[in-house]
Amino acid sequence: MITAAVMCMALNIYHEARGEPLVGQIAVVNVVNNRVASPLYPDNICDVVKEAEYWGEHPIRHKCQFSWWCDGKSDEPTDRVAWERSLNLARKAVDGQITDITEGSLYYHATHVEPYWAEHFTQTIQINKHIFYR
């Protein structure tokens, strides 16, 4: 059985970091867990992952904390190997078995973009194609 928390975390790992090395996937997990622990964000994994501006029940395109949640594409995993890896890591994350390697990061972005907000935070680490901030 897969709990809602494991499913939400696994989907986030899969869509945000399946092409990253394990350390990059762990860092994405860290951001979700750091947000759950922060008073600035919802207090559970699914609400953190699905945080967005909504029109009725539907997230508004480009108004999500994690872009895959509101990109208009199917969220169904298609790469079986990457999905199994995401599920296994998500189970460990939900069980509290993952150490924070991001120094408390709450934010990240891909290296190919330059978001306006990045200059307002302290960069903690760059892993492959993601830069992390607190």
Side-chain angles (χ1 to χ4, degrees), residues 14-63:
Y14 179 88
H15 291 293
E16 290 287 312
R18 74 177 171 270
E20 295 290 308
L22 178 60
V23 68
Q25 294 175 9
I26 288 170
V28 167
V29 164
N30 293 154
V31 167
V32 172
N33 284 340
N34 290 341
R35 286 183 178 194
V36 169
S38 169
L40 302 174
Y41 291 92
D43 63 0
N44 68 76
I45 291 168
C46 287
D47 286 351
V48 164
V49 168
K50 297 176 181 181
E51 187 174 20
E53 290 182 32
Y54 286 83
W55 181 261
E57 295 180 15
H58 304 286
I60 299 171
R61 192 175 179 111
H62 306 301
K63 297 286 185 176

Side-chain angles (χ1 to χ4, degrees), residues 67-110:
S67 59
W68 68 271
W69 180 243
C70 63
D71 63 6
K73 299 175 184 175
S74 171
D75 297 335
E76 188 69 30
T78 56
D79 180 334
R80 177 61 57 199
V81 173
W83 176 239
E84 288 300 324
R85 281 191 205 125
S86 297
L87 275 173
N88 289 334
L89 183 57
R91 285 183 182 104
K92 290 177 183 177
V94 170
D95 287 342
Q97 299 176 27
I98 304 296
T99 301
D100 186 4
I101 61 171
T102 68
E103 300 175 36
S105 291
L106 294 173
Y107 317 98
Y108 66 91
H109 65 81

